[in-house]
Amino acid sequence: MTARAMAGEINEGSVPAYYREVYEAIRCRTDERVQAEVFQRLLQRADLSQAALNQIAENIDSTDGFLTKLSLYKALALIALAQQGKQPSPKLLENFIQKLPKPQLGEPRELNALRMQPAQDDVLNISQTLEKLLAKDTVQVELIPEKKGLFLKHVEYQVTSKRYKISVYRRYSDFDVFHEVLLQKFAYRVVPSLPPKRMLKGVLTSVSEREFIEGRRRALGRFINLVARHPFFSEDELVKTFLTFSGSDVQTRLRDTCKKTGDEFMTNRIATQAKDYLPADIQPQFATSRELIKNIHNSFHRLRDRAEKMAERSKENATDLLQFGRELSALGSDASALPALASSQSSWGTLRQSLKSLSVEFAVLSDKAAQQGRREQDDVVEKLHFFLDLLQSYRDLCERHEKGVLHEHQRALQKYSVMKRQMMSATVQSKEQASVEQLESRIVQQESAIQTMELRNYFSLFCLHQETQLIFSYLPITSDILGAFVNSQVQGHKEMGEVWNELQPKLGCLFGSNNGQKTPI
């Protein structure tokens, strides 16, 4: 027997596959050791007496709260011996060094849940609340039109960041380049879409140019606020440059900044280790979350449509009330003399004077209804648009994942399969050595490309997992939207009610003793 066997030590070359699988399932993500606390959890799955567990623990070396790989292998062998009813000791283990027994601990993939990660290394969870996200920054986007002749030729925006306490001036093309470089660097994140640069065909028939420009200003504001509040974008140099750079060519600065750093896969410290951080059931989790968010998006889309209609009705109500008052005023202002046929008892002359004065109250009612419409637009519809923009960008991200890196990975595997078949064919047919070597070189390059794509695929899933958390962090905005809607309705009805109540006594002369009650006809 070798000295190693005499000492009860395990040769890694003779370790069964099950031992290696258990080790991979529970080892630290950041080094090659196993946390002692994780090992204690593993022992609890062995279904052994406390005395046996204590014996195993006593014979296992643990330094600074960690076990080495070989220490774990030794522990697994001792667990297997104890489960067979034997005394778990190093001396007994010497007899099994050449063929280590298999412990009964369950499937290795089930043991992932035992693994612990120090809090500072828990990079998969973003731990953001809605309050924290909204507090990162508030960016105002205001319109500064430059008029040339009778038509609006050029639009510039004043972009003011509360975080950086600075205002810069941006054109739509600056937003466009910013969006472009964001997608280049953060292809695996939710990057909101930009509104269209120009009105689409047919829009002119229902939307004026100024209404389109105002709608685009609002959309740009939502875009930049979603970006400035994103947990990863908010600390990136690209965002800081866009919000603070006041030089003459911000587009060049943005492109140069992007070129210097490369995309997130190249700069993220855990990009190549993303697979180790992902839960074993990441694919089912992703599918479930995607379907749920799709349903939420559809519901919010319908809510937004209804809220827009209610805001529009409030504005229409304001117009109707104002016109109603004007018509009453016009009726009361009619100076035509009463015809002789009119009864001498007619009260029309008195009524006419009363009608003329009512236009003031109806103008106030119109103003209150217009305020109601603006509140509904700013506090309800705009917040619904904001959340919908985020939900849509998540759906866009899911499509990029499937049509982008995942599709490219599958194509690369197909290409690799073709190359391998060509290589086998060339070997069988004894083609020229140079041709075979060239094909071998291409296969090696393709293997490297596939490995990189696999890493990118896992990193894409890693980012998707985080972005899904971001969506759920934003979901409490539902309460804000509903609260804004209810408060707007309460305030609007209260203000309108006060004006109507003030108006009612002034109509006494119109209705006499009936005071507005129906007169039987």
Side-chain angles (χ1 to χ4, degrees), residues 43-44 46-56 82-83 86 88:
L43 279 179
Q44 299 305 316
D47 195 25
L48 296 170
S49 67
Q50 190 59 49
L53 294 176
N54 291 339
Q55 282 183 301
I56 294 170
Q83 288 175 332
K86 300 181 175 65

Side-chain angles (χ1 to χ4, degrees), residues 188 265 270-276 278 401 405 409 447-463:
Y188 311 124
F265 178 77
I270 57 89
T272 57
Q273 305 166 2
K275 180 181 179 181
D276 295 334
L278 292 172
H401 171 72
V405 64
H409 184 209
E447 287 174 343
S448 177
I450 289 172
Q451 184 178 18
T452 301
M453 287 179 186
E454 286 178 345
L455 292 175
R456 280 188 174 272
N457 183 41
Y458 284 118
F459 183 62
S460 179
L461 283 170
F462 176 90
C463 293

Side-chain angles (χ1 to χ4, degrees), residues 449-493:
I450 289 172
Q451 184 178 18
T452 301
M453 287 179 186
E454 286 178 345
L455 292 175
R456 280 188 174 272
N457 183 41
Y458 284 118
F459 183 62
S460 179
L461 283 170
F462 176 90
C463 293
L464 263 172
H465 192 80
Q466 290 186 322
E467 299 304 287
T468 303
Q469 295 174 59
L470 179 64
I471 300 298
F472 285 102
S473 295
Y474 263 107
L475 267 176
I477 202 172
T478 307
S479 299
D480 291 350
I481 294 169
L482 186 58
F485 175 69
V486 172
N487 291 337
S488 175
Q489 295 298 316
V490 169
Q491 183 178 347
H493 284 84

